[in-house]
Amino acid sequence: MKIMKLVMSLMTIAFFMGSLMGTQSKATANGTEFERGVSVNVKMMSYNIHHAEGVDRVLDLERIAKIIEDEGAEIIGLQEVDNHWSERSAFEDQAKWLAERLGMFYVFAANLDRDPLNEGEPRRQYGTAILSKYPILNSENHSLTRIGNTEQRGLLEATINVKGNHLHFYNTHLALTTAEREIQMKEIIAIAGESKGPKVIMGDLNAVPESIEMKPMYANYLDVFADQPEAYTYSATNPTKRIDYIFTSSDIKTVETDVINTLASDHLPITAEIVLERLEPFYNGGK
C-alpha cells in the first residue's frame, strides 16, 4: 500500500513538472515572454478623403464612413483630414467623428497647425489619421523635410496590436515637387528602418511608379499593386494616374487587392488584404 502511494505521488509530481515545462509563457530574469500571436488576415485601406468633400462638392463624412464599412477595412490610413480646420468641413474633428461612427481606435497627426479664429476655440489642424479595429499601442508623427515655404508634410507612425502581432504602420501624404519627394522618401525609409517586425507603408505619394523618387521604396518594400500597373487612383472622375499606394515588408503576404470606384473624394481608395504571422515571440518587460 505504501509502495502504491509512493508511485502515485511520483506520477503526480511528474505530471505537474511536465505541465510547467509545456506552458506557453515563461518568466525570465528581465521580463515575460508571451505566446506567439496567431496568424490573421487583415484588410487595409489607404484613402485621401479630400476633407470628405466629394466630386459633387458635397461635404459628407457619413459617405466616407460607409465606404470603409462596406469594404470591411480594419486598418485605414487617411490623408487630407481636417480637425476644426474651417467652414469647408464645418469645423469638425473628422478623425474622431469617423472613429466613433465606426467604433474604431484612432490617431490624428496635424501637419498644419493654426491658431483658432476665436479665443478659447480648438486649434485649427490639417493632416493625416489612422483608424484601426485593433488597439493602437503608440504613435508618433515625424515631420518631413520641405523646401522653401511649401506645405509641411509628415509620416504618421503607429504600432498596432493585431491579435498579438505587432504591426508597424506608416501613413503619409507627400509633397507636390519631385525634389521634396526624393528627400521625404529617403526619410521614410530611414524612419521605418528603425523598427523590426512586419511593416505597412501607405498613402498619397503624389508620384507615379516609374518616378525616380519611388526607387528607394521599391528597393526596400513590396508594392501590393505591382502586378496591376493600371490600378489608377486619380482623379476619381477620370483615373489615369497611380499615386496612392500600399507597401509591405517582405514578411507579409498579400492575398487580395482592389481599387474602389467611388466619387466621395477626388481620389479613389485602395484596399489590400494581408496575412500577419508572428515570426518571433512577443517579449515584454525587459530592457
Side-chain angles (χ1 to χ4, degrees):
M1 192 70 176
K2 289 182 178 180
I3 293 175
M4 286 296 294
K5 287 183 178 180
L6 179 60
V7 170
M8 292 296 291
S9 297
L10 289 173
M11 289 177 64
T12 301
I13 292 171
F15 176 78
F16 177 71
M17 292 299 293
S19 298
L20 285 178
M21 293 298 290
T23 187
Q24 289 293 321
S25 63
K26 58 182 180 181
T28 68
N30 295 317
T32 303
E33 190 176 289
F34 295 99
E35 66 177 306
R36 298 181 179 197
V38 297
S39 175
V40 57
N41 286 35
V42 186
K43 193 163 188 182
M44 306 280 178
M45 175 183 283
S46 180
Y47 197 5
N48 181 327
I49 65 170
H50 192 232
H51 60 268
E53 181 183 316
V55 173
D56 56 5
R57 297 186 177 180
V58 173
L59 177 71
D60 193 344
L61 270 174
E62 173 59 29
R63 183 164 53 181
I64 300 295
K66 198 74 168 61
I67 292 167
I68 294 171
E69 191 172 56
D70 289 348
E71 291 304 317
E74 299 167 282
I75 303 178
I76 306 99
L78 301 176
Q79 304 89 43
E80 294 196 14
V81 183
D82 282 359
N83 179 23
H84 308 296
W85 180 250
S86 70
E87 292 180 356
R88 74 179 186 186
S89 50
F91 292 95
E92 184 67 72
D93 182 341
Q94 295 189 318
K96 181 181 179 182
W97 190 98
L98 287 168
E100 291 179 348
R101 161 65 175 80
L102 295 165
M104 290 184 170
F105 301 94
Y106 82 102
V107 288
F108 171 78
N111 293 317
L112 301 183
D113 190 359
R114 303 285 187 262
D115 291 333
L117 296 178
N118 301 300
E119 186 176 351
E121 293 178 348
R123 294 191 65 79
R124 299 183 298 118
Q125 299 175 326
Y126 170 80
T128 60
I130 295 171
L131 307 178
S132 175
K133 171 184 174 181
Y134 304 98
I136 299 173
L137 302 180
N138 52 65
S139 66
E140 180 179 358
N141 192 40
H142 305 270
S143 293
L144 300 176
T145 296
R146 59 178 178 159
I147 300 174
N149 194 32
T150 55
E151 182 179 317
Q152 180 65 59
R153 308 287 176 158
L155 176 69
L156 176 53
E157 174 184 5
T159 303
I160 302 174
N161 183 1
V162 184
K163 297 184 178 180
N165 304 289
H166 285 195
L167 174 67
H168 301 286
F169 188 89
Y170 304 86
N171 178 32
T172 192
H173 183 190
L174 297 190
L176 297 177
T177 68
T178 299
E180 285 180 293
R181 289 195 299 269
E182 282 193 85
I183 298 170
Q184 292 168 354
M185 200 72 75
K186 292 175 182 177
E187 291 175 333
I188 289 171
I189 300 299
I191 292 167
E194 295 175 0
S195 299
K196 295 181 179 180
K199 302 170 191 174
V200 171
I201 301 173
M202 67 168 57
D204 175 359
L205 304 188
N206 271 318
V208 294
E210 59 271 20
S211 300
I212 187 172
E213 61 267 34
M214 294 294 293
K215 289 184 177 180
M217 187 64 73
Y218 279 107
N220 289 274
Y221 294 94
L222 303 176
D223 176 4
V224 302
F225 286 92
D227 62 345
Q228 301 175 60
E230 295 185 357
Y232 300 138
T233 60
Y234 188 82
S235 68
T237 53
N238 181 31
T240 57
K241 293 182 180 179
R242 189 157 86 91
I243 60 175
D244 299 271
Y245 298 84
I246 299 175
F247 284 90
T248 70
S249 50
S250 59
D251 53 352
I252 291 178
K253 178 183 177 182
T254 300
V255 295
E256 187 178 2
T257 58
D258 199 10
V259 179
I260 311 305
N261 186 24
T262 172
L263 299 179
S265 168
D266 59 346
H267 284 245
L268 299 180
I270 55 176
T271 62
E273 184 179 343
I274 67 170
V275 181
L276 287 179
E277 186 168 3
R278 175 165 292 284
L279 299 178
E280 298 293 336
F282 166 52
Y283 183 75
N284 183 34
K287 293 183 180 180

